[in-house]
Amino acid sequence: MIPADFYRGRRLRSSLTMRELVRENAVTANDLIMPYFVAETDDESFMKEISSMPGQYQLSLKQLEKKVGEAVANGLKSCILFGIPAEKDEMGTQAYADAGIVQKAIRLLKDRWPELIVCADTCLCEYTSHGHCGIVQHDYVQNDPTLNLLAKTAVAQARAGADVVAPSDMMDGRVAAIRDALDEAGFINVPIMSYAVKYASAFYGPFREAAESAPQFGDRKTYQMDPPNAREAMREAVADLEEGADILMVKPGLPYLDIVRQVRDNFDTPVAVYQVSGEYSMIKAAALNGWIDEQAVIMESLVAFKRAGADLILTYFTEDVLKTLK
Ligand code: PBG
């Protein structure tokens, strides 16, 4: 017996054009930020594949320029830079040195492509000998003494021409410290994209190989958030907004879509989400085994971020997606 009256959802799925007509969300090149790892080296041809992230590389300045050039030709609008300095020390000096590797990379990219939005990850872990995101004393990452160094890093990045600074350290008060320092240095128009809601996640594993930033002792659990917590995410977001964040980021991505949705529903600021290294590696590994349709899975994972309410997406798949979108 077929009932007389029921919902026929299939009417609007009858063809591709019909589905596209009623589609609620889309990923566009405007939303995507590509992360790059730039290494300080005299070897211009340096390009080292990250073994746990097939298709991602540590690049010399020259190779970075080449890669970004190709991506810009495919429609790249924005990138974020991570640095691998030649020398590390206790204080992460190279993070805020005017001739630090990220500062050099920013100058190079902004000189070549003034329209490209170049974001700088503002943190110390890639530059400290102990691999922590702040100053270490008595085996503990010290909050307040770290703030000044983060502020100096952001100012050095802005001075080099960074369009956006993105503090990822998770020290308390760092957004306020960075905003004050930027304003004082005359960079009132440089926005802060804060890694506001950043969890202490095992999904960052491959990144630490990529950026050579694994902590040499302990872990990041005394400063990054505890994964079981959701309400705390709102407190972190409120704090960063009050301190002057312009864009709120949630990180990681797919395992934290509930948090993306909560941040979206509670705040009117742009929301960014970071599809982190481990998420990339999982998709890549399955794809390389022929277990999944790589492009389809990538697009489905990215549109999930849009559906959850994200505006911007940081993803290592940006270059591939640009090609697909083209
Ligand atoms: C630096 C930083 C990390 C990531 C972005 N910025 C690593 C960490 O916090 O350990 C992770 C990005 C990724 O996994 O792709 N603090």
Side-chain angles (χ1 to χ4, degrees), residues 1 15-16 39 46 48 77 80-81 96-97 99 102 110 182-183 190 202-203 207 230-231 249 282 288 294 307:
M1 231 324 256
S15 68
L16 176 62
F46 182 83
K48 184 177 162 204
K77 307 262 179 100
I80 183 163
L81 300 176
Y96 38 90
V102 160
K110 289 305 293 182
L182 287 173
D183 291 351
V190 172
F203 285 94
F207 174 95
R231 293 191 302 269
M249 194 199 300
M282 288 195 305
L288 286 169
E294 182 173 8
R307 206 178 55 237

Side-chain angles (χ1 to χ4, degrees), residues 85 87-98 100-101 103 123-136 146 149-150 152-153 156:
E87 302 288 341
K88 302 187 187 219
D89 57 36
E90 293 259 298
M91 305 293 278
T93 312
Q94 288 305 304
Y96 38 90
D98 261 324
I101 183 63
Q103 281 70 278
C123 196
L124 301 182
C125 61
E126 295 130 60
Y127 307 91
T128 50
S129 44
H130 45 70
H132 277 290
C133 304
I135 294 178
V136 174
T146 301
L149 300 187
L150 291 166
K152 276 169 71 170
T153 303

Side-chain angles (χ1 to χ4, degrees), residues 13-251:
R13 288 174 215 138
S14 59
S15 68
L16 176 62
T17 28
M18 184 65 85
R19 290 190 295 275
E20 285 178 339
L21 195 65
V22 298
R23 194 163 277 170
E24 298 175 25
N25 291 288
V27 175
T28 78
N30 294 342
D31 312 321
L32 303 175
I33 303 178
M34 175 68 194
Y36 288 105
F37 300 100
V38 53
E40 189 170 23
T41 169
D42 293 333
D43 177 5
E44 283 201 344
S45 64
F46 182 83
M47 182 172 175
K48 184 177 162 204
E49 190 166 28
I50 299 149
S51 63
S52 54
M53 298 179 75
Q56 300 301 312
Y57 300 85
Q58 293 181 351
L59 303 163
S60 67
L61 283 170
K62 191 84 208 156
Q63 299 305 316
L64 173 73
E65 186 179 5
K66 253 175 79 178
K67 255 204 160 290
V68 172
E70 289 164 16
V72 167
N74 283 327
L76 182 75
K77 307 262 179 100
S78 177
C79 66
I80 183 163
L81 300 176
F82 297 92
I84 301 137
E87 302 288 341
K88 302 187 187 219
D89 57 36
E90 293 259 298
M91 305 293 278
T93 312
Q94 288 305 304
Y96 38 90
D98 261 324
I101 183 63
V102 160
Q103 281 70 278
K104 280 188 184 161
I106 295 166
R107 284 191 194 97
L108 172 74
L109 297 185
K110 289 305 293 182
D111 187 50
R112 289 281 273 110
W113 299 282
E115 306 285 290
L116 182 71
I117 299 288
V118 177
C119 311
D121 183 83
T122 307
C123 196
L124 301 182
C125 61
E126 295 130 60
Y127 307 91
T128 50
S129 44
H130 45 70
H132 277 290
C133 304
I135 294 178
V136 174
Q137 272 158 10
H138 315 299
D139 281 357
Y140 185 74
V141 177
Q142 303 290 325
N143 196 88
D144 298 11
T146 301
L147 298 180
N148 181 37
L149 300 187
L150 291 166
K152 276 169 71 170
T153 303
V155 170
Q157 293 166 337
R159 200 179 291 129
D163 295 290
V164 176
V165 296
S168 67
D169 53 282
M170 287 300 276
M171 296 301 120
D172 296 327
R174 92 274 207 209
V175 172
I178 288 172
R179 186 71 270 162
D180 273 5
L182 287 173
D183 291 351
E184 202 166 304
F187 299 109
I188 52 166
N189 284 325
V190 172
I192 299 175
M193 174 165 69
S194 159
Y195 290 67
V197 183
K198 175 171 175 179
Y199 288 89
S201 172
F203 285 94
Y204 307 152
F207 174 95
R208 293 178 187 170
E209 180 203 340
E212 298 179 13
S213 66
Q216 298 304 298
F217 69 90
D219 51 41
R220 302 209 203 290
K221 291 179 184 168
T222 71
Y223 41 106
Q224 298 179 349
M225 287 174 59
D226 198 22
N229 294 357
R231 293 191 302 269
E232 186 189 3
M234 301 306 109
R235 299 204 294 277
E236 286 288 349
V238 166
D240 283 16
L241 274 180
E242 283 176 353
E243 289 177 32
D246 301 279
I247 301 173
L248 294 175
M249 194 199 300
V250 175
K251 177 183 174 206

